[in-house]
Amino acid sequence: MKNLLLKMYYIFLDLKNHFKVLRDKLISVIIKPPVVKTTDETLSKIINERCSVSRYGNGEFNIMFKGEQFFQEYDNDLSIRLIEIISSQSKNHIVCIPDVFRNIDKFTDRAQNFWNKYLILNRTKIYRKLKNKKVYYDAMVTRLYMDYKDKSKSDERFSKFKMIWDDREIILVEGEQSRLGAGNNLFSNAKSLKRILCPAENAFAKYEEILTAVKKYDTSKLILLALGPTATVLAYDLSRIGYQAVDIGNVDIEYEWFLKRTQVKTPVKHKYTGEVANGTKVEKLHNPEYENEILAQIL
């Protein structure tokens, strides 16, 4: 009897999964997917128009749906802001979402499996939050290497990405253990680089302090943000008061993997890497050049 019940339970789970897959395929046919510009179109937009950028990935979507991200617990105010911004309209600010709603053949098998599973569970919820007829840009613009089958364009795209801050004075707002650009030449073409260090986890709890710290500096500065969902909100709020603020997210870790030509995600020494085992166990960095770049610490 127990074996029969167990067998029936597994049959039920299998049917339930098949139903989810079928439902997702039906939704993708019936409901027109959002317009998402390509990675290259997104890069050109940022470079040519110097617009601000808010990015949404699965972590931001999860918080919108009252879930959590591995380094940001659920916060109701953060959820409300993310829902507000994803449908916002502004001439000097773009919203980026992953270009995964029409075709994901360009990605590796691992990335395809992730997005297939994620969309089966969340496609309907995502579509409900998007604004009809709004043109979105590609949130994968900061992930130029690891998830692509064809990695031949990575070099060209990283070079193009660097044009965002070419000869610009940068203020980098990042998690205290992120250390973007430390140990590589990612920002070598910038005119100057200063840093505001923020909590590696649950940074939104310090949102007002972070915003106030940035506002001490002139709007001519380019504000680069690597702070998870907090960066998504911060880019929008800063754009409204005259800054160009760009959420560059995971680009430094992607660049490190690109430089090593690794085919698997690996920890990066001295840098917080939340997507790999032991990636959040970060060693201290003793580097005078890096330390001299620090303007403020909000921890």
Side-chain angles (χ1 to χ4, degrees), residues 188-203:
S188 61
N189 62 318
K191 187 173 183 179
S192 65
L193 170 63
K194 296 296 181 182
R195 302 171 187 267
I196 296 175
L197 304 188
C198 305
E201 299 180 356
N202 301 317

Side-chain angles (χ1 to χ4, degrees), residues 158 162 165 180-181 184-189 248 251-252 255:
F158 276 118
K162 292 179 186 181
W165 50 77
L180 274 72
N184 62 46
N185 66 346
L186 185 62
F187 300 115
S188 61
N189 62 318
I248 62 171
V251 70
D252 178 69
Y255 191 56

Side-chain angles (χ1 to χ4, degrees), residues 252-295:
D252 178 69
I253 297 298
E254 286 278 325
Y255 191 56
E256 291 276 6
W257 291 333
F258 162 72
L259 292 175
K260 294 179 177 67
R261 298 301 195 273
T262 180
Q263 299 297 307
V264 294
K265 296 181 178 182
T266 56
V268 178
K269 192 175 182 179
H270 301 306
K271 298 184 179 185
Y272 188 104
T273 316
E275 298 180 17
V276 297
N278 298 316
T280 59
K281 297 178 181 178
V282 184
E283 297 179 30
K284 289 184 178 180
L285 176 64
H286 301 289
N287 183 315
E289 181 181 357
Y290 166 78
E291 291 170 1
N292 287 336
E293 293 168 349
I294 299 171
L295 291 172

